[in-house]
Amino acid sequence: MVDKLTLNMITQRSIEEGVAMEKGKTTQEYFEACSIIEMNEEDIRKLGLLPNQLVKVTSECGSVIVKAIKGRQTVYPGLGHIPQGVWANQIVPPRTQATGEPQYSGFPATVESARGERRKSALECVQGAVGLWRSD
Amino acid sequence: MPKKIENVGCPYCGVCCDDLVVTVSDDGRHVLEVENACAIGNEIFHHASGDNRIKLPRLRQPDGTYKDISYDEAVDYAAKVLVKAKKPLIYGFGSTNCEGMAAAAKVAEKAGAVLDNCASICHGSSFLAIFDNGYPSCTLGETKNRADVIVYWGSNPAHAHPRHMSRYSIFPRGFFTGKGHKGRKIIVIDPRYTDTARVADIYVQVKQGQDYDLFNAFRTVIHGEDIPDEVAGVKKEQILEVADILKKARFGTIFYGMGLCHSDGRNHNVDIAISMTRDLNDFTKWTIMAMRGHYNIAGPGVVWAWTTGYPYCIDMSKKDHAYMNPGETSSIDLAMRDEVDAFFNIGTDAGAHFPIEAVKHLKKHPWITIDPNICMASEIADLHIPVGIVGVEVPGIVYRMDNVPIQYRQVLNPPEGVISDEELFERIHQRICEIEAEEGITQTGAAAADTQKSIVGE
Ligand code: SF4
C-alpha cells in the first residue's frame, strides 16, 4: 500500500455530464456526474481506498477533492479520468504547446486519500477561485 | 390543441439531428414531448420550458449580489466596456446561430477586439493540421451510404455524440451499405475501454499520449515496411491486422476527437492522421472527419473565414487588419499572459471549461456573459445578459460537423422581452457607433478615414 500515487490524467466528455449540464451546472446531477475520478481497480487497491472514498488530486497547478470510483469505461493502471467540467478544470494545466489548447489530457497528478476534506460544489470551486464565494 | 412540429434540429452536439418531432402546448410556451432525440437533446427542450429562466440582464453590485437592469442599460454597459478596453476578447459561440456570429464579428471589428470561438480549446489543433496538410473529408451522408470500415480514434460518440453511430456509422442501412451493422467493421482506438469500444469489432488500446507513434506504425506497415514488436502499447500482430482491414475497405472514414487534440502533440497528431488517410487513398477510398463538439461550433469557422479570412483566434485590435496566430492570439494564451482587458463569454461556459488559472486571469477585468441559462460564467460575471435559446426559441443557420448548413427552427416563444444574440450584438454595435459619435472618437491609423476597408463585410 502507498499513501500517494502519481497518475497520468485525462479529462473528457461523459453523457452523464452532458445531460446534467443541460439541467444546470448548479444541480446535484452535475455535481455527481463530474466530481469523480475514474481509476483502475489496481490503483484503488494500492492506495487502500474503500469504494467511493474521497481523494485529493493534485497537479502542477492546484488540487481538487473528488470521489474515486472504478467506472464502467475502464482505464488501465496508471491512467486516471475526471469527466470534463468544473472539477477537472481545477487542476488542468493551462499550457498549450503554442496551439491555444490547454493540456486537458496527459498531465501528471498525484492522488491521495482526502483525509476528512469534503467535495466543493461547482459554485464554490469557481466563485471561490475568483473571490466571489460567500458560504451561506 | 397541442402542436406537433417536425424536422426540428437539436441544439446540442455536432451530429445536428434534424429529425426531432417536438410537441408544444397550446400557448406555445411549453414542450410536452420530444421524439427521436437522445437523453441530452431531450433535456434541452424540456429545460427550456422550465420556470427558472432569467428574463432580465443582471448587473453585479458592489456587495457582490446581482441587480436586474433593462436591456437598454445592459447594451450601454457592454458598449462602454468595449469602447474603453484596449484589447477586449469576445469568445464562445459553440451554442448560437450563424446570424449571431456574423453580428458579433461586426462588433469585434468596430471595437478592435480579439474574436475567438470554442475551437480554440477543442478542434483548433485540427485547423492547424488542416491548413498544413489538407482535409480529405466527406459528408456524413457519404459515410452512411458508402462506408464499410469506420474508425473512431480518440473519440467517444457513445457519450459525446450519442446518435452518431445510429444515424451515420454503425447501424444505418445506406444505398451501398444495405446490410447495416453486419456489413460494417468498426474499429475503436482509445486508451480507455469506452462504451464506444464495447460496440466495436476491434478495440485497440493505445497508450495515452502515444497516438502519433501508432499512426506512424500504421503508415510504415501500409508502406510495406517492418515495425517493432510493440508500438504505443499495441502488439505488432494487431497493427498488421488493422492495417490490412484499412487497406481492403471499399470506403472508410476515420472519425477522430479530443483524444488527439488535447494530448501531447496536438496538431501533429491530427496532421499524421491526415497523412495516413492520404496514404490509404493509394489503395482505396478513405476519408477523415473531426468530431466537432457543439451543434454549431463549425459555424464560426465558416462564417468568420468568409468575413475576416480566418476561422478563429482573430486579432482585430489594430482595426484595419485581421491577424491570426494560435498560441499568441488564442484565448487561453492571451488570458495567461494578461493581454486582454475585457472578456465577453457568449454561448459557452468559460467559467466551467477553461482551466481555472485562465479564469482567474480573465476575471481581473470586466467580464460579461451572454447566455440563456445560469452557468459558471454567468455566476462570476459583472454583467449577465440572457438571450433566447437557439434551436428552441430562436431559429437560424447552423453548420453540422461535416460543414453542411442546416436551418434550425423555433418551437417555443422566448420568455417575454428576451432577445436573440443577433439582436443583442446589433444593438451593441449601434450603441458603440453612438458613443463614438458623442465623444468624437476618431479611429487611429489606416482606419481613420471613413473610407476604411471593412474587415468584416456587411
Ligand atoms: S445526438 Fe446530438 S444532436 Fe442528436 S439528439 Fe443527441 S445531442 Fe442532439
Side-chain angles (χ1 to χ4, degrees), chain A residues 8-27 29-30 34 38 40 60-63 70-107 121-134, chain B residues 11-12 38-40 43-44 47 52 60 62-65 119-126 128 156 158-160 162 191-196 198 203 205-209 258-259 261-267 293-294 312-313 326-328 330-333 336 349 351-360 363 373-376 379-381:
Chain A
N8 182 17
M9 291 301 308
I10 57 174
T11 71
Q12 293 298 335
R13 274 233 127 102
S14 75
I15 193 162
E16 294 79 11
E17 178 247 355
V19 174
M21 187 170 102
E22 292 308 325
K23 277 207 177 77
K25 293 209 181 77
T26 51
T27 59
E29 282 97 327
Y30 185 72
C34 297
E38 293 174 321
N40 188 278
E60 67 204 58
C61 54
S63 300
K70 181 173 158 268
R72 216 154 55 99
Q73 309 188 86
T74 49
V75 290
Y76 56 75
L79 193 66
H81 174 247
I82 301 184
Q84 156 189 305
V86 167
W87 291 268
N89 282 316
Q90 303 306 302
I91 59 166
V92 167
R95 50 189 157 87
T96 75
Q97 297 187 334
T99 63
E101 291 195 47
Q103 191 79 27
Y104 286 114
S105 282
F107 61 91
S121 70
L123 266 183
E124 186 176 354
C125 285
V126 181
Q127 289 192 327
V130 298
L132 276 175
W133 173 251
R134 24 184 94 219
Chain B
Y12 183 73
C38 71
I40 306 176
E43 187 57 46
I44 290 189
H47 181 79
N52 42 7
R60 180 95 42 206
D63 69 355
T65 58
S120 199
I121 60 164
C122 188
H123 270 291
S125 301
S126 298
L128 295 176
N156 186 10
H159 282 250
R192 275 193 303 160
Y193 185 62
T194 58
D195 286 329
T196 307
R198 270 171 218 273
Y203 168 56
Q205 185 165 50
V206 59
K207 278 259 175 300
Q208 198 285 327
M258 290 302 104
C261 297
H262 280 169
S263 303
D264 280 345
R266 311 282 203 284
N267 52 312
H294 282 283
Y312 76 129
C313 299
E328 180 198 350
S330 31
S331 296
I332 296 292
D333 298 282
M336 294 309 295
D349 188 356
H353 294 147
F354 275 5
I356 199 73
E357 289 299 312
V359 175
K360 285 193 215 161
K363 188 54 195 152
N373 298 311
I374 288 184
C375 59
M376 292 303 123
E379 296 318 285
I380 59 172

Side-chain angles (χ1 to χ4, degrees), chain B residues 397-416:
Chain B
I397 291 170
V398 312
Y399 279 83
R400 198 168 68 184
M401 62 163 64
D402 52 355
N403 288 322
V404 170
I406 297 176
Q407 175 75 48
Y408 268 31
R409 301 181 168 217
Q410 174 187 11
V411 298
L412 291 182
N413 297 319
E416 212 177 310

Side-chain angles (χ1 to χ4, degrees), chain B residues 4-75:
Chain B
K4 239 184 195 281
I5 308 169
E6 299 195 333
N7 301 326
V8 174
C10 167
Y12 183 73
C13 85
V15 178
C16 295
C17 298
D18 53 355
D19 60 346
L20 274 45
V21 181
V22 179
T23 310
V24 296
S25 62
D26 269 351
D27 57 1
R29 294 222 166 269
H30 295 279
V31 167
L32 303 176
E33 203 191 335
V34 184
E35 292 162 68
N36 297 344
C38 71
I40 306 176
N42 224 314
E43 187 57 46
I44 290 189
F45 285 93
H46 286 293
H47 181 79
S49 30
D51 298 324
N52 42 7
R53 290 283 297 279
I54 304 287
K55 301 188 179 95
L56 275 175
R58 304 179 296 158
L59 184 67
R60 180 95 42 206
Q61 302 300 300
D63 69 355
T65 58
Y66 262 146
K67 183 181 140 218
D68 286 353
I69 60 171
S70 70
Y71 271 97
D72 279 341
E73 288 168 305
V75 165

